[in-house]
Amino acid sequence: MSTIRRTKIADILSAGQASADTLVKGWVRTKRGNKNVTFIALNDGSTIKNLQLVADPNDISEDLLKKVATGACLSAQGELVESQGSGQSVELLVKSLEILGEADPEKYPLQPKKHSLEYLREIAHLRPRTNTFSAVFRIRHAMTYAIHKFFNDKGFYNIHTPIITGSDAEGAGEMFRVTTLDMDNLPKNEEGAIDYKQDFFDKETNLTVSGQLEAELFALSLSQVYTFGPTFRAENSNTTRHLAEFWMIEPEVAFADLNDNMDLAEEMLQYVVKYALDNCADDLDFLHAREVEENKNKKEIDRPSMYLLDRLKFVVENQFERLTYTEAIDILRNSKPNKKKKFQYLIEGWGADLQSEHERYLVEKHFNKPVILTDYPKDIKAFYMRQNDDGNTVAAMDILFPGIGEIVGGSQREERLDKLTQRMEEMDVPAEEMGWFLDTRKFGTTPHSGYGLGFERLILFITGMTNIRDVIPFPRTPGNAEF
Ligand code: 4AD
Ligand code: MG
């Protein structure tokens, strides 16, 4: 047969048409059959669906067919015909077959059976070859695109803020050090402390925890900007919601107040969820069915009240609930789990930081929809948030999602120089190192607002996966930086 170009399986299946001469390449998912015919399920990652290859031992040698094993990579050329079996529109009658890469079935870690997510995490280099992970990572790509499209269509500019930084934007001090100093022979200054003047940047530097402060500088010139980059936090939280390296989207808008900020975040979230529903149907159908299957043997009360596709549609079709922190504290204080002491952290009064059990109670039990909480106590929020007239709260907003908890955190920014420097002093933020930030307030300041969306938390929501380690290709968590 002559050499022709490869056709992607997604294109073959969506066209669903017979065709005389077709070449496909991909990885074998399963092989079955008998001595008269072999059926091979082939996947090339372009779709969750497999193409069925039908090989007749009269055309393809037994030696070659022996090497067709789960995990092997092959190239097959033949005739696309209407499928005899159910489950697919067309199948490929193989005329010639080439094994591009063998996979020893005895040693291949991915057997054609269900593996646990924990096991697959250990072989994260091979897990994109499974249905679940290929679906997750195709959706992750689609969400990256949808976010850029959303902001681009609104006239926002994407700003690449630095990854190595000398400032601690959140003031939480959970940063990873960046240095070229020799750890075994650290240079000391006259006081006996480490001499960072001899380090690569002549000072202490870290990986960024947020691009916000730099985004603010650009918002006060380009009006509407956003970042979309990796951020790093050395917090020792080994939870299903935290990564040490995660991706964040941070829009920042001049002339916008907290209400504008909430409107933008809600519109963005509804837009990207709708984008997934419209563009990732096969993958979402698969993940939805997977979730139904996983829950089928559970007791009624342990099952989700809605399954994946219904949860996604619900978010697109319903407005988020908006209320203040103070109102939320009242609800929580009078809630059943608080009165019956079921919360791990009981809500005693105003000022408490909300734990994820509280956030999830509000979203999943009380309101049963996404919630935007605003106007938090200033002492549990960052120095840059705008101080409200009551003297106790700041114009903060957190968006809480079912099954996730906090997905977005943001605020109106303190644009008044005196109030900002006073807050920095109170919170021990070194103003002398942040002259560049304060310059925006000295020269042409204006009200502005922004927020950060945790990208992996969004992907958790869209895919229905329950552990954040399963929605990023190679998770970094305390004690784990494999691959
Ligand atoms: O609430 P955070 O800390 O806010 C900021 O960093 C602000 N500078 C954002 C801004 O206003 N421009 O983080 C924002 C979001 C959280 O709501 C959460 O979704 C996610 O980032 N996030 C994490 N995701 C995964 N792993 C972690 N360790 C995360 N920490 C925060
Ligand atoms: Mg936050």
Side-chain angles (χ1 to χ4, degrees):
M1 275 191 160
S2 60
T3 6
I4 49 170
R5 284 169 72 110
R6 161 174 102 100
T7 309
K8 279 191 277 182
I9 290 173
D11 297 336
I12 289 174
L13 295 179
S14 70
Q17 272 167 5
S19 161
D21 195 9
T22 303
L23 174 69
V24 294
K25 295 182 184 182
W27 292 268
V28 176
R29 284 293 168 82
T30 56
K31 181 176 83 165
R32 62 188 174 84
N34 50 44
K35 59 182 189 311
N36 300 322
V37 64
T38 301
F39 296 105
I40 304 161
L42 194 75
N43 190 285
D44 68 0
S46 60
T47 161
I48 193 147
K49 294 180 179 153
N50 300 325
L51 179 66
Q52 172 152 289
L53 312 186
V54 184
D56 183 330
N58 294 324
D59 297 329
I60 311 296
S61 78
E62 204 178 313
D63 275 356
L64 209 51
L65 281 175
K66 257 195 210 140
K67 292 181 183 162
V68 176
T70 297
C73 187
L74 57 81
S75 165
Q77 196 166 338
E79 187 184 351
L80 266 184
V81 297
E82 254 176 61
S83 179
Q84 305 298 307
S86 62
Q88 63 269 322
S89 52
V90 287
E91 59 192 19
L92 188 80
L93 301 182
V94 182
K95 297 285 177 252
S96 75
L97 186 76
E98 187 188 345
I99 306 290
L100 301 174
E102 288 182 46
D104 182 345
E106 302 285 307
K107 295 186 182 139
Y108 188 53
L110 280 176
Q111 294 299 313
K113 61 160 198 175
K114 197 170 160 56
H115 291 293
S116 74
L117 295 174
E118 289 77 15
Y119 170 71
L120 292 171
R121 235 169 265 149
E122 287 168 21
I123 52 164
H125 57 300
L126 293 172
R127 67 180 181 170
R129 292 191 190 182
T130 64
N131 284 333
T132 300
F133 285 97
S134 66
V136 166
F137 292 118
R138 274 188 298 269
I139 291 172
R140 189 179 160 112
H141 161 77
M143 291 300 89
T144 305
Y145 175 73
I147 282 164
H148 282 299
K149 181 164 167 51
F150 174 80
F151 286 114
N152 183 67
D153 289 354
K154 282 189 167 302
F156 279 64
Y157 300 106
N158 181 210
I159 306 298
H160 295 141
T161 50
I163 289 170
I164 299 173
T165 174
S167 87
D168 179 358
E170 291 302 298
E174 293 158 334
M175 305 187 86
F176 287 102
R177 174 73 46 83
V178 175
T179 180
T180 53
L181 291 179
D182 178 358
M183 289 295 134
D184 295 321
N185 187 16
L186 289 169
K188 299 284 168 68
N189 60 22
E190 276 158 18
E191 288 92 58
I194 296 167
D195 186 7
Y196 289 104
K197 290 231 159 51
Q198 296 189 41
D199 204 347
F200 189 90
F201 297 105
D202 297 350
K203 64 175 195 166
E204 282 186 72
T205 49
N206 295 291
L207 294 178
T208 188
V209 294
S210 158
Q212 178 194 323
L213 302 189
E214 293 88 351
E216 280 191 52
L217 312 178
F218 275 75
L220 295 191
S221 57
L222 304 185
S223 300
Q224 298 176 304
V225 301
Y226 71 104
T227 72
F228 190 156
T231 48
F232 308 86
R233 294 192 188 178
E235 53 194 338
N236 207 351
S237 359
N238 232 326
T239 77
T240 55
R241 303 284 175 267
H242 289 87
L243 290 165
E245 176 178 297
F246 63 101
W247 290 66
M248 191 156 44
I249 295 97
E250 296 186 275
E252 196 67 37
V253 186
F255 321 119
D257 65 13
L258 191 64
N259 276 316
D260 301 321
N261 209 26
M262 287 191 273
D263 290 345
L264 181 69
E266 183 167 342
E267 190 187 340
M268 174 201 69
L269 287 165
Q270 290 181 324
Y271 177 93
V272 298
V273 173
K274 182 161 190 312
Y275 187 92
L277 285 167
D278 292 346
N279 294 278
C280 307
D282 289 347
D283 289 326
L284 287 178
D285 286 346
F286 172 83
L287 292 168
H288 178 92
R290 177 182 178 277
E291 195 180 282
V292 171
E293 177 69 24
E294 299 266 293
N295 282 282
K296 86 173 179 224
N297 294 325
K298 286 192 188 158
K299 282 194 252 132
E300 181 74 33
I301 58 155
D302 294 328
R303 287 188 209 147
S305 60
M306 276 186 244
Y307 286 110
L308 180 62
L309 288 170
D310 303 302
R311 289 199 301 275
L312 297 181
K313 285 181 198 142
F314 185 87
V315 163
V316 173
E317 287 161 8
N318 290 279
Q319 280 193 340
F320 300 0
E321 190 72 32
R322 298 181 183 189
L323 71 159
T324 65
Y325 165 91
T326 305
E327 289 164 332
I329 286 288
D330 278 342
I331 292 170
L332 289 167
R333 203 192 285 144
N334 296 314
S335 69
K336 243 195 216 159
N338 202 54
K339 288 187 163 158
K340 295 196 165 166
K341 303 202 182 328
K342 288 272 162 60
F343 282 145
Q344 198 186 339
Y345 298 88
L346 294 178
I347 298 287
E348 314 277 359
W350 198 88
D353 205 351
L354 299 185
Q355 305 295 324
S356 90
E357 56 180 344
H358 308 128
E359 298 175 339
R360 294 184 66 166
Y361 174 83
L362 290 170
V363 173
E364 289 158 33
K365 295 276 178 323
H366 190 83
F367 290 110
N368 229 329
K369 51 160 47 178
V371 168
I372 312 184
L373 287 189
T374 61
D375 303 291
Y376 281 73
K378 64 176 188 216
D379 291 332
I380 58 172
K381 289 294 182 186
F383 71 93
Y384 51 70
M385 297 193 179
R386 191 175 199 280
Q387 296 166 63
N388 288 330
D389 294 340
D390 63 16
N392 295 318
T393 60
V394 285
M397 64 169 208
D398 275 8
I399 303 186
L400 315 178
F401 256 42
I404 310 290
E406 181 191 334
I407 194 166
V408 161
S411 74
Q412 185 167 339
R413 314 307 188 192
E414 183 54 83
E415 85 284 10
R416 297 161 296 186
L417 182 64
D418 54 334
K419 299 254 182 202
L420 181 61
T421 45
Q422 163 227 326
R423 201 68 196 125
M424 288 169 85
E425 219 163 273
E426 286 167 10
M427 297 182 78
D428 288 326
V429 180
E432 62 284 358
E433 289 168 25
M434 294 188 61
W436 52 273
F437 185 64
L438 294 171
D439 266 1
T440 51
R441 275 62 171 176
K442 276 185 198 152
F443 310 116
T445 191
T446 185
H448 61 287
S449 299
Y451 62 83
L453 165 68
F455 189 53
E456 285 74 22
R457 293 196 187 173
L458 172 72
I459 306 302
L460 278 177
F461 180 73
I462 305 245
T463 60
M465 301 298 284
T466 52
N467 191 318
I468 201 163
R469 293 163 180 79
D470 296 332
V471 296
I472 187 164
F474 300 103
R476 271 79 183 95
T477 52
N480 178 34
E482 289 302 309
F483 311 102

